[in-house]
Amino acid sequence: MKLLIKNGRIIDPTQNIDLKGDLLIENGKIVGFDKNIEINDAIKIIEAKGLWVLPGLVDIHVHLRDPGEEWKEDIESGTKAALYGGVLRLACMPNTNPPNDSPEVTSYIVKKSKEKGYVKVYPIACITKGQKGEEITEFGRLKEAGAVGVSDDGKWVQNSEIMKRALFYAKHFDLAVISHCEDQNLSQGGQINEGIYSAKLGLKGKPPSAEVIAVIRDLILAKEAQKSVHLAHLSTKEVIPFLKWAKDEGIPFTAETCPHYFTLTEKEVDNYNTLAKVNPPLRTEEDVQAIKEALKEGLIDIISTDHAPHSSLEKEIEFELASPGMIGLQLLLPLSLNLVRDGYLTPLQLAKYLITNPSKVIRIEPPCFKKEAPAEIIIIDPEEEYILTEDFIKSKSKNTPFLNKKLKGRVKKVILNDNIITLD
Ligand code: DOR
């Protein structure tokens, strides 16, 4: 079958391509792109005037909650939300129940994803057994079972000696090491950012220092191990000078932030809005600005969602008892497009932050438009405005402060191998 996508803005970050033109696919594989492709026997033509045509997005920070918390999300619902968000590959975090600290859990995720998943799933396993920070898991066996990286996400590996060993050990197995940067000694009991709102609401705060100290320690260990550490969901301006320093020192690291950290401030938690409770917490306007500048400078060059579904059972309760986290898979694209609209990133840079750079962290070949590559294509309308209703959200959980708010930028079609999926 031949499929011709006509007159789109074709963006492929793996080849530094951003051109207006046509993309030809045959039998589920890319044939090529050009300013104008004329063929007579195209069985299907998709008109893409005004639309962007990109390889599928790669989100390396997703909580699928499967196994164990399937009332919040499961592999089927989470990957469906991903599909609707244009995320055609994702890595899922190990803080499930039981946690993904054994090859059995990793294999379960791999198998169920193949059976029920709408998109490709890459499991991240735990760094330590039960995420307790005490005993390192069996990285080799986890990798054999399908893990692409290790993380105790949700928690920081507080013991520096264990983290150092984990970095050396992961280097040996070429696994990504993803750090949830939060010194729990400083943040324990904290509910929101430490500052004006924690004082106003009478809630214990999490200080930016909890993140900064964790980042510095991890960078020092990455230097010693000469093994890259991936710094997850950075939220505060205070870390930026240290990222600069680490770049200058040649320390191996990658840095990630999430749309909520460059879009929302701590103001959202006013009136004890549990939908805005997230870890690390939303911070100040200056932090938001600094994160955007860091993205512009390329000090942070990966955007992922930290998609963290929680049901109303965990959210419609007292603030202190509510679980932190917000869903993000269907918000990634519309919110990230604001960085282009506001002049922080070019479309090609944004595509790098959403496709190529995250792929490098988990050591996969990114989806691309190279000849013979399997079709993993999203067609988006960057201008379409719509309301994020509960019906539109494909996750089982609807926990987002953007619920019923206007968004701009929407995935219209996904082409996966031979399948053309229209997302209405
Ligand atoms: O807000 C968060 N929720 N941050 C995390 O690091 C974990 C996540 C979750 O699993 O709910």
Side-chain angles (χ1 to χ4, degrees):
M1 197 206 45
K2 278 190 185 166
L3 166 67
L4 186 61
I5 303 172
K6 289 273 323 160
N7 304 316
R9 181 166 182 175
I10 296 172
I11 301 171
D12 179 1
T14 71
Q15 305 181 75
N16 277 318
I17 296 295
D18 180 356
L19 65 80
K20 286 227 169 76
D22 306 343
L23 178 66
L24 181 64
I25 299 113
E26 188 170 1
N27 297 329
K29 293 210 165 125
I30 305 290
V31 177
F33 52 82
D34 212 332
K35 287 205 172 108
N36 183 28
I37 300 178
E38 296 288 346
I39 49 165
N40 300 322
D41 60 342
I43 297 200
K44 174 118 184 109
I45 293 178
I46 296 176
E47 175 56 51
K49 191 156 192 270
L51 308 181
W52 294 7
V53 183
L54 294 142
L57 311 183
V58 179
D59 182 357
I60 57 170
H61 198 140
V62 175
H63 297 272
L64 289 177
R65 307 293 190 219
D66 193 348
E69 291 184 313
E70 291 88 350
W71 70 92
K72 300 181 181 185
E73 194 80 287
D74 60 22
I75 286 171
E76 189 171 354
S77 62
T79 55
K80 187 167 187 188
L83 181 83
Y84 273 72
V87 172
L88 303 189
R89 301 190 190 195
L90 66 84
C92 61
M93 285 298 170
N95 59 339
T96 46
N97 187 14
N100 182 8
D101 61 2
S102 68
E104 288 73 22
V105 178
T106 307
S107 305
Y108 161 84
I109 295 168
V110 169
K111 185 167 179 280
K112 187 163 175 192
S113 302
K114 281 194 183 133
E115 286 164 10
K116 303 267 185 198
Y118 286 82
V119 303
K120 280 194 188 139
V121 172
Y122 300 88
I124 308 286
C126 298
I127 295 177
T128 64
K129 291 194 181 153
Q131 298 194 296
K132 292 202 177 101
E134 291 160 5
E135 205 184 329
I136 291 180
T137 54
E138 295 181 67
F139 289 4
R141 291 182 65 220
L142 289 161
K143 180 165 179 168
E144 257 170 47
V148 293
V150 288
S151 177
D152 273 359
D153 189 59
K155 285 183 186 158
W156 189 52
V157 178
Q158 195 82 27
N159 182 320
S160 304
E161 207 273 327
I162 290 183
M163 186 61 173
K164 178 178 159 179
R165 272 199 283 130
L167 284 161
F168 275 102
Y169 195 30
K171 185 177 176 181
H172 179 73
F173 290 106
D174 195 31
L175 283 164
V177 177
I178 302 175
S179 182
H180 169 110
C181 298
E182 175 184 6
D183 183 339
Q184 281 109 212
N185 291 330
L186 283 163
S187 65
Q188 217 160 41
Q191 300 294 319
I192 59 175
N193 184 40
E194 186 174 281
I196 293 175
Y197 281 85
S198 61
K200 179 182 169 193
L201 298 175
L203 294 168
K204 190 167 184 294
K206 291 191 181 220
S209 56
E211 185 168 314
V212 185
I213 285 170
V215 164
I216 298 170
R217 196 256 351 229
D218 287 341
L219 288 169
I220 301 278
L221 294 180
K223 182 177 182 188
E224 195 162 295
Q226 277 304 300
K227 161 70 183 161
S228 183
V229 66
H230 179 69
L231 308 168
H233 49 45
L234 297 178
S235 69
T236 167
K237 66 179 190 312
E238 306 295 340
V239 298
I240 313 287
F242 298 100
L243 301 182
K244 258 195 202 118
W245 162 78
K247 274 248 149 99
D248 292 345
E249 286 285 307
I251 295 175
F253 76 97
T254 46
E256 158 200 306
T257 192
C258 314
H260 38 282
Y261 299 119
F262 57 77
T263 309
L264 300 174
T265 69
E266 57 182 351
K267 276 196 196 115
E268 296 290 322
V269 296
D270 210 3
N271 299 317
Y272 302 93
N273 180 8
T274 57
L275 292 177
K277 181 174 176 180
V278 62
N279 194 22
L282 300 175
R283 305 221 189 244
T284 66
E285 187 56 44
E286 290 92 76
D287 292 296
V288 168
Q289 278 308 323
I291 295 287
K292 290 200 271 197
E293 289 297 337
L295 286 161
K296 185 174 182 176
E297 277 183 62
L299 284 169
I300 300 175
D301 63 1
I302 290 168
I303 303 172
S304 58
T305 59
D306 196 2
H307 176 82
H310 292 291
S311 77
S312 48
L313 291 173
E314 294 88 27
K315 281 295 193 184
E316 287 173 18
I317 48 174
E318 294 90 316
F319 201 93
E320 273 111 331
L321 300 178
S323 300
M326 45 182 82
I327 54 167
L329 284 163
Q330 291 179 260
L331 289 148
L332 178 63
L333 195 74
L335 297 182
S336 298
L337 280 169
N338 286 332
L339 295 168
V340 175
R341 294 182 189 115
D342 298 342
Y344 289 94
L345 300 178
T346 64
L348 192 56
Q349 269 171 324
L350 179 62
K352 284 189 179 155
Y353 290 15
L354 292 172
I355 304 165
T356 28
N357 295 351
S359 296
K360 270 183 221 149
V361 175
I362 58 166
R363 291 137 176 77
I364 57 168
E365 281 300 317
C368 66
F369 294 155
K370 290 182 185 149
K371 198 171 162 56
E372 287 296 310
E376 284 181 72
I377 303 167
I378 61 173
I379 303 182
I380 68 167
D381 182 346
E383 298 302 322
E384 184 172 331
E385 295 187 339
Y386 55 101
I387 305 290
L388 185 74
T389 58
E390 285 208 9
D391 275 357
F392 185 77
I393 296 172
K394 303 303 167 205
S395 292
K396 285 189 188 174
S397 298
K398 316 291 173 191
N399 55 309
T400 165
F402 291 95
L403 190 62
N404 296 321
K405 299 264 164 68
K406 190 153 77 170
L407 298 176
K408 190 172 174 184
R410 180 166 174 174
V411 185
K412 305 295 288 177
K413 279 190 199 307
V414 169
I415 294 130
L416 258 181
N417 305 312
D418 262 343
N419 295 327
I420 303 168
I421 308 158
T422 302
L423 305 174
D424 287 322

